[in-house]
Amino acid sequence: MWDGLLSRRDCLRVGGLGIAGALLPAGIRRTAAEPGQARRPVATARSVILLSMMGGVTHLESFDPKPDAPEEIRGTLRAMQTSLPGVLFAEVMPHLAQQLRHLAIVRSYSHDSNDHLISQAHMLSGRRVTMAQISTEPNVGSIVSRLHGPRAGFPGYIAVPGTTRPGPPPYNLFVGGWLGPQYAPFSTGGAPRNEDFTAHVAEAAEEDFHQQAVQVAPGVDDQRLHQREELLRRFDEAYGIGGRSEVLDRQYRDAFNMLASPAVRTALDLRREHFQVRQRYGLTKIGERCLLARRLVEAGAPFVMVDYGYDPEYGNLWDNHRAPVQNQPHICDMAKLPYHLAGTDRACAALVEDLHERGLLDETLVLFLTEFGRTPRINREGGRDHWGTAGSIFFAGGGTRGGQVIGGTDRHGAFASGPAYSPGDVAATLYRAIGIDGETILYDRQNRPLPVLPQGEAISGVLGEDNVGEPAARAKGEPECHNPPLALGSRRGLASRVRRPVICAARISPRFRRGCRWAGSPCRRRCVRPCHFLRRKPRPSGR
């Protein structure tokens, strides 16, 4: 098979490669399968900026503080009032607190894994995966690229910088999966020069870092580049054989377009931005990357992912266990650092406000996403551990109904106190905003039909629709369960000691409502244990 013959990065190096290696005759290129016919709902967004915070951002030190909880749960940070009365953020989030009119905060983001790699692949694809599937499922950006294609000279999916490699050993989770490598993101940082995020070595300055992927060999100017493109065209015509494969044709086209387009080079050049604007975002990695995402979307890029998490200079900056080998301060002190929550708050708020001032927010969906939250109780080292049961994310722009908080957690931030929303539900919301039907059928490289999203429903209220994925309401007089669920991997620790009313899983998620044998009837006291999604799948009805 020729599908994986060349990566997009290899094609970008065509300026420095020999002619024989760059010019492959069309006759040996396999023709791709015909694409599936996509049904497109009305889109509310034209572009997407996905703020990918891989590592697990703490919700208790950011969007869901618990000021009335004991200190071992709430920590030492104060809670502050936001622009929405009654809604509190942690003190390190003052800028986003004033932008809440544009945000829809989801405080009941939840799923069933505490594993980084599985949760990250689930987050990036919207699909439940096993360890064997972490690189086989396409990212949501790959799906958007497949159905919407490139625009204005930009590839359909760009990662800024796209060099995060969780591990060890290092894994690349920014993949096209079964769609093929041609739908993997174009990474502005090029090939990672250091995949070990524990190395603690500095990388190139952000102004140069994001130029690495479009550098050509010395002595190759625009004229020589166009000459090589023309030579490739004539070579194919001379053989009289048409029908390039979609893989190579897309790679060549994207590579030449990006190398030859002044608009692309201008958008990637942060030095062209006013210094005052750069200061507004913050002269930090996350600040510069959010600014670059705005520049790319403004220039026409359809899908941009800001990649910020595993960093060769800072380590895994969101995975704040405070283990001795991490050499981190207490999590509440860590949150105040400019490369942690304090700087992220400034950068994300500046991005939302800047898009609004430029008239781009209404057509650009901004999604702040992480794989899970952190444990309610601070561990004895002064950090928080993995907690897939609860976390916080936010949407802004692109048809988002701002100024609201969707869902919530109990008084310790341990469990969702109402409807819980999975990465599949988040992906379904994104697809709805960009005009993609989750039931659209696509074909993999073996020509097998697969749905865009097998599980997940758009989160009700985010985009302003009524009754989209709304969980069933508890009937009047219906008793609640009083058996608290056990967290996956828990040894009857904190999770089993939180004695609070827990709503039946059949009312937490529509897909469990369809499969729960107690759906539509008064809640049974014991039903939460056999069917709660943290334990195992519900028993199908009728069996």
Side-chain angles (χ1 to χ4, degrees), residues 383-400:
R384 297 187 190 269
D385 303 317
H386 306 170
W387 194 253
T389 314
S392 295
I393 62 174
F394 74 73
F395 294 84
T400 298

Side-chain angles (χ1 to χ4, degrees), residues 188-239:
T188 63
R193 298 183 179 180
N194 193 335
E195 294 188 339
D196 182 6
F197 67 87
T198 65
H200 295 287
V201 295
E203 295 179 306
E206 290 292 301
E207 300 94 329
D208 301 318
F209 190 35
H210 301 289
Q211 298 283 333
Q212 293 177 166
V214 291
Q215 290 177 349
V216 295
V220 178
D221 55 17
D222 290 344
Q223 182 178 0
R224 290 190 65 186
L225 189 64
H226 285 294
Q227 288 174 348
R228 294 184 178 190
E229 183 180 17
E230 178 64 16
L231 184 59
L232 172 62
R233 185 185 64 80
R234 292 182 179 182
F235 195 83
D236 284 339
E237 289 178 353
Y239 275 81

Side-chain angles (χ1 to χ4, degrees), residues 149-170:
R151 189 170 68 206
F154 293 94
Y157 180 19
I158 300 175
V160 178
T163 54
T164 279
R165 296 294 184 267

Side-chain angles (χ1 to χ4, degrees), residues 61 71 131 138 177 209 392 405 424 426 471 482 512 534:
E61 276 73 35
E71 184 173 340
M131 191 62 190
F209 190 35
S392 295
V405 175
V426 174
H482 291 273
F512 287 100
L534 290 178

Side-chain angles (χ1 to χ4, degrees), residues 12 44 141 326 497:
L12 285 172
T44 58
Q326 291 182 297
R497 295 200 300 269

Side-chain angles (χ1 to χ4, degrees), residues 54-56 109 111-123 129-132 134 166-168 171 173 310 316 319 321 370-374 385-389 423 488-489:
M54 294 170 66
Y109 176 64
H111 57 85
D112 61 355
S113 176
N114 289 332
D115 179 82
H116 274 302
L117 295 173
I118 290 175
S119 301
Q120 288 161 358
H122 193 184
M123 171 192 89
V129 299
T130 64
M131 191 62 190
I134 59 172
Y171 287 86
L173 300 182
Y310 295 78
N316 188 349
D319 195 25
H321 300 282
T370 188
E371 69 260 38
F372 44 57
R374 312 301 294 187
D385 303 317
H386 306 170
W387 194 253
T389 314
L488 193 66

Side-chain angles (χ1 to χ4, degrees), residues 445-469:
R445 287 174 289 175
Q446 285 73 45
N447 207 32
R448 295 174 298 188
L450 294 169
V452 163
L453 191 66
Q455 294 178 330
E457 300 186 27
I459 301 173
S460 177
V462 169
L463 300 177
E465 304 96 335
D466 294 326
N467 300 320
V468 178

Side-chain angles (χ1 to χ4, degrees), residues 20-82:
L23 306 180
L24 188 67
I28 65 173
R29 301 170 191 165
R30 187 175 66 87
T31 303
E34 288 297 320
Q37 295 298 318
R39 295 185 301 158
R40 294 188 177 183
V42 177
T44 58
R46 183 171 179 267
S47 304
V48 176
I49 296 177
L50 171 59
L51 304 173
S52 173
M53 306 289 147
M54 294 170 66
V57 177
T58 170
H59 56 296
L60 292 151
E61 276 73 35
S62 57
F63 302 109
D64 195 12
K66 302 297 178 182
D68 298 326
E71 184 173 340
E72 64 269 21
I73 291 174
R74 74 171 187 270
T76 58
L77 295 180
R78 295 179 293 105
M80 63 173 296
Q81 178 63 50
T82 67

